[in-house]
Amino acid sequence: MSVYSKYADHILLNLLKEDDQLAYTEIFERYSRILVNHAYKLLGRHDEANDVVQEVFLSLWNKRYELAVTGSLSSYLYKAVKNRILNHIAHEKVVSRYADSISNFIENEYVFADSKLREKELEAIIAKEIALLPEKMREVFLLRKVEELSYDEISNQLNITDKTAKQQVYNSVKILREKLKTALNVFIW
């Protein structure tokens, strides 16, 4: 039993900000199992629940210097897991929506013997292209196109102007349209 197991969360956080790997390990051991259980209840899949929690802890370590935890560490971690899950679900919805749209286009205009394979490949391309959008642009895009929030709601939630939100969505759609047009040309021929 480590001396770190006796430390309160706020002490572990301060040590973490000072590059203390043992503090990080203690936080991980203290919270990872319950966070995975929580994520599993929301996702219904163990592998995805584990992945989400791993991403949260990786982010915790990578952002340890600028970490601003208001309230308890457990609340912060639960919220981080919830946000990752929401992003994950939103991402799946967007990919699915685009895949359906492209699939319908292909089925109506062209007949492919390997349409299922092409659909999977297109889903992967779409997911990759959305993931490659700059972080803020991707966040605004997902809030508008998946969560279907208004520009006012997005601007309030992200503390940006509604003009900035509109511009981010416009830019992301333009980027995705160009990338997907190129991908479609490849698949059609």
Side-chain angles (χ1 to χ4, degrees), residues 9-90:
D9 287 350
H10 70 278
I11 294 172
L12 291 172
L13 274 173
N14 289 335
L15 292 170
L16 177 66
K17 290 178 182 180
E18 297 170 4
D19 272 345
D20 191 322
Q21 292 181 1
L22 293 175
Y24 173 78
T25 301
E26 177 59 32
I27 292 169
F28 181 84
E29 289 176 0
R30 194 174 286 184
Y31 289 105
S32 64
R33 189 175 305 127
I34 58 173
L35 291 173
V36 168
N37 288 337
H38 176 66
Y40 175 72
K41 288 176 187 172
L42 297 171
L43 290 168
R45 293 182 296 275
H46 281 290
D47 55 338
E48 288 182 18
N50 280 318
D51 289 347
V52 164
V53 172
Q54 290 297 327
E55 289 171 14
V56 166
F57 276 102
L58 179 61
S59 178
L60 181 72
W61 177 256
N62 289 337
K63 295 180 180 180
R64 65 191 175 278
Y65 301 118
E66 66 257 13
L67 213 59
V69 177
T70 55
S72 71
L73 175 61
S74 62
S75 294
Y76 175 85
L77 292 171
Y78 271 99
K79 185 175 179 183
V81 166
K82 183 188 94 171
N83 288 338
R84 289 275 175 175
I85 289 171
L86 290 175
N87 285 343
H88 178 76
I89 290 169

Side-chain angles (χ1 to χ4, degrees), residues 58-173:
L58 179 61
S59 178
L60 181 72
W61 177 256
N62 289 337
K63 295 180 180 180
R64 65 191 175 278
Y65 301 118
E66 66 257 13
L67 213 59
V69 177
T70 55
S72 71
L73 175 61
S74 62
S75 294
Y76 175 85
L77 292 171
Y78 271 99
K79 185 175 179 183
V81 166
K82 183 188 94 171
N83 288 338
R84 289 275 175 175
I85 289 171
L86 290 175
N87 285 343
H88 178 76
I89 290 169
H91 179 73
E92 283 182 347
K93 281 184 185 176
V94 169
V95 170
S96 177
R97 207 179 281 165
Y98 275 108
D100 289 346
S101 172
I102 290 169
S103 178
N104 288 336
F105 171 79
I106 290 171
E107 286 174 17
N108 292 334
E109 300 295 324
Y110 302 93
V111 178
F112 290 111
D114 59 347
S115 66
K116 286 293 180 201
L117 175 61
R118 290 178 188 274
E119 184 178 328
K120 291 287 182 201
E121 290 172 350
L122 283 170
E123 285 177 14
I125 290 169
I126 293 165
K128 180 181 145 228
E129 294 304 332
I130 291 171
L132 290 175
L133 289 172
E135 184 178 344
K136 273 293 183 198
M137 185 184 291
R138 182 176 61 247
E139 184 177 11
V140 172
F141 174 79
L142 291 173
L143 287 172
R144 178 71 180 155
K145 298 297 183 181
V146 177
E147 299 294 321
E148 299 177 352
L149 296 182
S150 71
Y151 290 114
D152 285 337
E153 292 171 320
I154 294 169
S155 66
N156 288 336
Q157 185 172 335
L158 299 180
N159 200 21
I160 59 176
T161 66
D162 117 315
K163 184 178 179 183
T164 300
K166 287 177 186 173
Q167 190 63 47
Q168 291 283 21
V169 170
Y170 173 80
N171 290 344
S172 60
V173 168

